[in-house]
Amino acid sequence: MRILGPALLGLALATAAQAQTPQGPITAEGLDRGLSNLGLMAGHAVQCLAEAEQPRAQRAVLLFNSMLVAELGSNAAFRFASAFGAGSSHAVDRSFCERSLADWRKLVQDHALDR
């Protein structure tokens, strides 16, 4: 599971790179922004799933959050979890479901969350 830290840093970098140019060193703010964006995406994606698939996805979110606690600490896990809550509390914009679900499936696959 020690791979999660670098993978998350890469994801946060990709997210931060879209927001700022030129790309600089990894910062705490960039990592926080990446975790927030990831949580928002995951919350939206879970809502886009069929109702029968949502419990399994919620278990994957809990597993991912526990991996965050182990790898990056409780502050990072809280950042992701609170963003997930925000992402799952808004009405679903179906026009973004395809992208959110693709990103979600990649996250599940990359971190073996489908166990």
Side-chain angles (χ1 to χ4, degrees), residues 18 29-31 34-35 60 66 77 91 96 103 108 113:
Q18 292 175 352
E29 294 82 18
L31 182 59
L35 287 170
S66 68
F96 293 104
D103 290 344
V108 168
L113 302 175

Side-chain angles (χ1 to χ4, degrees), residues 25-110:
I26 298 171
T27 64
E29 294 82 18
L31 182 59
D32 284 347
R33 188 172 31 258
L35 287 170
S36 293
N37 289 340
L38 186 62
L40 288 168
M41 174 278 301
H44 184 261
V46 170
Q47 283 194 16
C48 290
L49 290 169
E51 195 171 323
E53 295 178 63
Q54 289 180 0
R56 184 174 182 188
Q58 290 167 345
R59 286 190 298 274
V61 167
L62 290 173
L63 177 58
F64 184 71
N65 205 49
S66 68
M67 294 166 77
L68 281 174
V69 169
E71 294 290 329
L72 299 174
S74 59
N75 287 342
F78 178 78
R79 172 77 62 186
F80 171 79
S82 60
F84 175 83
S88 61
S89 66
H90 296 291
V92 176
D93 183 347
R94 297 278 174 201
S95 65
F96 293 104
C97 280
E98 187 176 326
R99 179 167 179 196
S100 291
L101 287 171
D103 290 344
W104 168 252
R105 289 184 179 114
K106 180 168 178 24
L107 178 74
V108 168
Q109 180 183 17
D110 288 353

